[in-house]
Amino acid sequence: MQSRIRNEQLKEKIMSPMEASKLIKDGMVIGTSGFTPSGYPKVVPLALAERVKRDNEKMKLTLYSGASLGPEVDGAWAEAGILAKRLPYQTNKQLRQDINCGKVEYLDMHLSHSSQYLNYGILPRVDVAIVEAIAITEDGNIIPTSAVGNSPSFIKSADKIIVEISSKQPVELEGMSDIYMLENPPMRTHIPIKTPGDRVGTPFIVCDKDKIAAVVFSDMEDHVRDLAPISDVDRAISKNIINFLEKEVSLGRLTKNLLPLQSGVGNVANAVLAGLCDSTFENLVCYTEVIQDAMLELMQCGKIKKASACSISPSPRGLKSFRENIDFFKDKIILRPLEISNSPEMARKLGVIAMNTAIEVDIYGNVNSTHIMGSKIMNGIGGSGDFARNAYLTIFSTSSIAKGGKISSIVPMVSHVDHTEHDTMIIVTEQGVADLRGLSPKEKARLIIENCVHPDFKEQMRDYFNRACEVCQSCHTPHILEEALSWHANFVETGTMKK
Ligand code: 0RQ
C-alpha cells in the first residue's frame, strides 16, 4: 500500500483514521469525495463518529459532497448527531428523518450549482476535504477512485486534505478520470468537449501537496445497493419510452444512434435503460452523471460505445461484473468532475436525451421530484434539473399510482415544483406517453389525462379539469384554487386520494 504514495515526503503523513479525524473540529465545513454512494471516504468519517460518541464531544459540521454518500458518512454522522448542515444531495434514511424533523438543515441544490456556489464564494470555503484515492502521484496530485464528484473543487478550496488510500478499489481505475476544471468563474470559456468520449484534462486531481495533512489506508468497499427486480410497471414505462424514441427515429428527428443519453438513478431509470438492450438502436453514447448496471450491460452487449459520467455506482452484482471486466470498460468510461458531467452548457451543446424519474406530475406538466405531500424531502433534485432544463429531449417517467393505488402520481397541481412545465417535454407512465412539445397548457392537460393517468383516477381527473375549465373560462391555465391541492389534503386526512 505504501507504493500507492508515490511522493516520499507524504509517506510521513501516514496515520491512523482516528488520528486523522482529530484534524476535524467543531464548526468546520467538510467536503468529501463521493457520488451516489461510490468513491466516498469511509474509515475517517467512521472514526470521527466513534470518537464523538465515545467522548461525548461537541461537534457540529457542515458537510458538502458530490451527491449521496454511504452509511459510513451520512448514516454514521446523522446517528452521532454531528451534522448541522448538509448539501447538495442525500438518500440516507436516518439523515432524511433528521432533515424532515428539523435536526439537520439541508440545501437541496442543482448539483451543477454546488461547486459553482463554492467557487463564486457564496458557500463558505472547505476547512477539511476527505478524499478517497487510488494513489497519490510523485507531485502530490490525487488519483480518484470510482467517483470524481466535487473532489477537484473541494481539494482546491480546502485548507487541509485527508487522503484515504483504498486497497479495495482496483488500481485499474487509474486513467479512467479526466479532470478538467473551469477557469476564472464566473467568467467562463467554453468546455472543449465535442463528443462524450473526448478527454480534455488530466488523469489526476491537481493538489497542492503541502495541504495534504494526513494519509490513511482503507480496506472498506463502497456500500453499493441492490436494485429491485424490474417490475411489470417498470417494463411498461421502458417500453413506452423506447416506442416513443423509435417514433422519433421514424419521423426523422433522431437517428438510430439517438443522441447522448442521460439517465437518473433508481429502479425505474435502470429498467428504462435495460430495455434498450433489445431495441433497434445502436452505437449509443451517454453523457450522464451516474453509471448504473444497465449502462454497463449495454456496453457489454455492444449497444453503448462510450459513457461519460462522474461516478460508477452499480449494484453488488454489477460491481462484481465491472471489476472482472475492468479492462473492457477502461477505454469506454470517462469520469469527470461534477461541474463538467452536469454542465448545462454540455447538455445543450451535445443535445442530451434526459430521462429522469418524478414523484408526481401535474396535468400541466410540472414535475415534483423531491417532496412527499409537498413538505417531506425524499432525496433531492440531484442532477435531474441540470439536464432537464437544457436537454434536447426531457423525459420524466413515473408509475401512474403509488402506495398500492391510494395515490395518483398525476395530480391536478404538484405539491412542490422542481421542474416547471417550461422544462418538461415528455411525460411517461406505464399507461402511455404525453408529448407536450408545442402544446398550450389546456392541450397538455387533455393529453396527460388521457394518456398517463391511471384508470382508477381518470374520471376524477377529467371531472376536475372540466370543472376548472368551466369555472375559469378565460383562464390560460385553469385551476380551482381551493381544490387544486385537495387530492393531497385528502390523502393526508383519509389515507387515499380517491374521492
Ligand atoms: O416510497 O420508499 O416508502 O416505498 O417514493 O419511489 O417508485 O421506488 O422510485 O426509487 O425510482 O425513486 C423520484 C424518488 C424515485 C428518485 C425518485 C414513493 C414510493 C417510494 C420511491 P417508499 P420508487 P425510485 C440522477 C437524477 C430525484 C433526483 C434525480 C429521485 C419512494 O428518482 O430521488 O432524479 N429523483 N436525480 O412509494 C407519494 C407519490 C409517490 C410516492 C413514489 N406520488 N406520492 N409517494 N412515491 N411516488 C441522480 C442524481 O442526481 C444523483
Side-chain angles (χ1 to χ4, degrees):
M1 284 295 279
Q2 296 245 352
S3 63
R4 304 267 197 105
I5 308 166
R6 298 174 196 155
N7 177 293
E8 284 306 313
Q9 242 180 312
L10 287 174
K11 287 187 179 161
E12 287 161 24
K13 298 284 169 68
I14 297 172
M15 61 183 83
S16 72
M18 192 56 85
E19 273 177 279
S21 81
K22 291 186 185 135
L23 293 165
I24 299 170
K25 313 265 190 249
D26 184 34
M28 278 187 165
V29 174
I30 309 298
T32 70
S33 62
F35 198 100
T36 60
S38 133
Y40 56 95
K42 299 150 187 98
V43 291
V44 175
L46 281 175
L48 178 74
E50 188 192 320
R51 197 189 87 211
V52 168
K53 284 198 289 187
R54 186 192 62 203
D55 301 346
N56 206 10
E57 213 175 309
K58 181 173 177 287
M59 181 75 66
K60 287 287 176 196
L61 302 173
T62 295
L63 173 60
Y64 306 163
S65 63
S68 52
L69 303 172
E72 300 84 350
V73 197
D74 275 342
W77 285 17
E79 210 240 317
I82 291 173
L83 286 172
K85 196 170 199 172
R86 178 77 174 94
L87 64 94
Y89 186 76
Q90 61 74 42
T91 56
N92 184 270
K93 202 171 167 194
Q94 167 84 51
L95 178 53
R96 183 183 300 136
Q97 272 172 15
D98 287 0
I99 293 166
N100 281 324
C101 75
K103 274 197 208 161
V104 178
E105 298 300 327
Y106 178 49
L107 231 70
D108 172 23
M109 303 175 75
H110 288 306
L111 297 187
S112 73
H113 281 184
S114 52
S115 53
Q116 179 169 303
Y117 270 34
L118 186 62
N119 295 334
Y120 289 1
I122 295 161
L123 288 173
R125 290 188 50 192
V126 173
D127 293 301
V128 178
I130 321 176
V131 181
E132 191 185 66
I134 296 289
I136 304 176
T137 69
E138 291 80 355
D139 297 327
N141 297 319
I142 292 173
I143 299 168
T145 60
S146 46
V148 177
N150 273 329
S151 299
S153 299
F154 297 159
I155 285 169
K156 192 170 158 202
S157 168
D159 289 336
K160 288 186 177 150
I161 298 160
I162 301 173
V163 184
E164 279 197 23
I165 305 275
S166 166
S167 63
K168 280 289 189 300
Q169 297 270 17
V171 283
E172 289 86 351
L173 283 171
E174 183 168 355
M176 226 176 233
S177 299
D178 183 64
I179 314 298
Y180 176 84
M181 300 278 283
L182 298 174
E183 280 167 22
N184 303 325
M187 296 299 287
R188 294 167 181 236
T189 51
H190 83 288
I191 299 169
I193 297 171
K194 294 203 184 80
T195 69
D198 290 355
R199 288 186 175 273
V200 295
T202 55
F204 51 75
I205 302 170
V206 172
C207 176
D208 171 358
K209 65 178 182 325
D210 295 336
K211 294 205 295 187
I212 298 180
V215 181
V216 303
F217 295 121
S218 162
D219 60 358
M220 293 185 72
E221 277 281 18
D222 282 336
H223 195 93
V224 290
R225 292 166 302 183
D226 267 322
L227 286 160
I230 296 176
S231 70
D232 289 345
V233 168
D234 297 340
R235 217 168 271 121
I237 291 173
S238 170
K239 199 157 162 261
N240 285 339
I241 293 181
I242 289 165
N243 288 347
F244 164 78
L245 293 173
E246 277 167 353
K247 205 166 131 214
E248 290 296 293
V249 173
S250 70
L251 290 169
R253 294 198 281 233
L254 287 172
T255 70
K256 276 194 180 306
N257 309 144
L258 299 178
L259 281 164
L261 303 172
Q262 178 264 331
S263 164
V265 287
N267 299 319
V268 174
N270 194 58
V272 169
L273 280 182
L276 288 173
C277 233
D278 304 320
S279 71
T280 53
F281 307 124
E282 56 196 21
N283 287 328
L284 303 173
V285 289
C286 301
Y287 199 85
T288 190
E289 53 195 341
V290 183
I291 296 180
Q292 277 190 290
D293 288 23
M295 225 173 250
L296 296 173
E297 283 158 21
L298 284 165
M299 283 182 203
Q300 285 177 301
C301 75
K303 285 278 179 196
I304 291 180
K305 287 188 307 182
K306 294 267 182 198
S308 162
C310 79
S311 101
I312 306 167
S313 187
S315 69
R317 192 179 61 84
L319 185 64
K320 188 165 175 286
S321 165
F322 172 73
R323 296 262 174 91
E324 284 166 4
N325 299 290
I326 198 158
D327 290 335
F328 168 84
F329 289 116
K330 194 150 180 186
D331 67 334
K332 295 177 183 62
I333 295 177
I334 299 104
L335 297 180
R336 306 185 191 278
L338 177 48
E339 65 179 352
I340 306 297
S341 67
N342 285 39
S343 154
E345 172 194 335
M346 290 307 304
R348 187 61 64 93
K349 188 160 82 176
L350 297 175
V352 162
I353 298 178
M355 299 181 283
N356 292 288
T357 315
I359 286 177
E360 61 180 11
V361 182
D362 72 25
I363 51 173
Y364 296 111
N366 299 292
V367 166
N368 168 13
S369 298
T370 57
H371 283 71
I372 304 295
M373 298 300 139
S375 46
K376 299 262 184 207
I377 190 87
M378 174 56 90
N379 300 323
I381 192 167
S384 55
D386 294 327
F387 293 99
R389 176 157 276 187
N390 303 290
Y392 165 80
L393 258 183
T394 292
I395 303 173
F396 277 97
S397 58
T398 175
S399 159
S400 67
I401 47 173
K403 300 290 174 206
K406 303 227 167 48
I407 289 176
S408 170
S409 301
I410 313 288
V411 287
M413 183 185 266
V414 283
S415 57
H416 176 94
V417 192
D418 293 296
H419 311 284
T420 75
E421 53 155 328
H422 312 287
D423 304 331
T424 58
M425 298 176 194
I426 318 293
I427 303 297
V428 183
T429 67
E430 77 289 356
Q431 302 295 323
V433 175
D435 181 352
L436 309 180
R437 293 172 297 172
L439 301 186
S440 71
K442 279 178 265 195
E443 290 170 330
K444 287 181 188 183
R446 286 189 195 102
L447 198 66
I448 290 177
I449 294 170
E450 293 317 313
N451 291 6
C452 299
V453 174
H454 192 275
D456 288 357
F457 287 97
K458 207 171 255 189
E459 260 324 301
Q460 192 175 319
M461 192 67 89
R462 283 189 190 126
D463 175 58
Y464 172 80
F465 179 64
N466 290 338
R467 285 186 297 111
C469 289
E470 264 172 43
V471 171
C472 196
Q473 273 182 9
S474 55
C475 291
H476 178 59
T477 306
H479 266 306
I480 305 169
L481 285 185
E482 59 278 22
E483 253 190 67
L485 292 172
S486 67
W487 291 36
H488 300 85
N490 210 32
F491 176 80
V492 173
E493 264 171 48
T494 68
T496 177
M497 282 188 174
K498 282 195 189 128
K499 295 208 168 157

